[in-house]
Amino acid sequence: MPSIDSKDIRKIIVACDAGMGSSVMLASQLRKQLKSQGIEVAHTPVNSIPSDADVVVCHAGLADRARKTAPDTVLIPFQIFIGDPAVTALVTTIKNGGIVNA
């Protein structure tokens, strides 16, 4: 299971599939929350996750596809786009320091 120290996170990808806009909103929210940490937050299709991603955040329904696209990257699956506990825990760990586990 991949893991990464929060101080080593430089790029987070919010991966999507349907293009309905919810994941774009999540990426924007993460950008604002992590602005002071200097972390790039980008939004890409699940089949196009870049190789320089440190963490991938995606809906649980896309997790298997994301794992195939980026098998060695920490994956944070979530159930709801805004206010999901998994995403909140990721932000908290990044801000407070610690290890982020897939």
Side-chain angles (χ1 to χ4, degrees):
M1 170 175 5
S3 63
I4 188 169
D5 192 307
S6 61
K7 67 178 175 42
D8 296 327
I9 297 173
R10 301 286 175 255
K11 186 172 192 176
I12 295 175
I13 295 297
V14 178
C16 71
D17 187 35
M20 299 300 289
S22 300
S23 54
V24 173
M25 289 178 11
L26 175 57
S28 177
Q29 178 187 24
L30 283 173
R31 233 178 257 116
K32 289 177 188 173
Q33 292 176 331
L34 299 173
K35 185 176 183 178
S36 64
Q37 276 68 37
I39 296 172
E40 176 186 355
V41 178
H43 176 262
T44 66
V46 71
N47 293 330
S48 300
I49 297 168
S51 61
D52 64 343
D54 297 309
V55 175
V56 174
V57 178
C58 71
H59 190 272
L62 299 175
D64 288 340
R65 288 173 56 195
R67 280 188 189 96
K68 288 178 185 171
T69 305
D72 298 322
T73 305
V74 173
L75 175 66
I76 307 296
F78 62 86
Q79 293 293 327
I80 53 177
F81 282 92
I82 303 298
D84 191 276
V87 177
T88 301
L90 171 65
V91 171
T92 300
T93 301
I94 290 171
K95 288 184 174 184
N96 296 335
I99 302 297
V100 177
N101 294 303

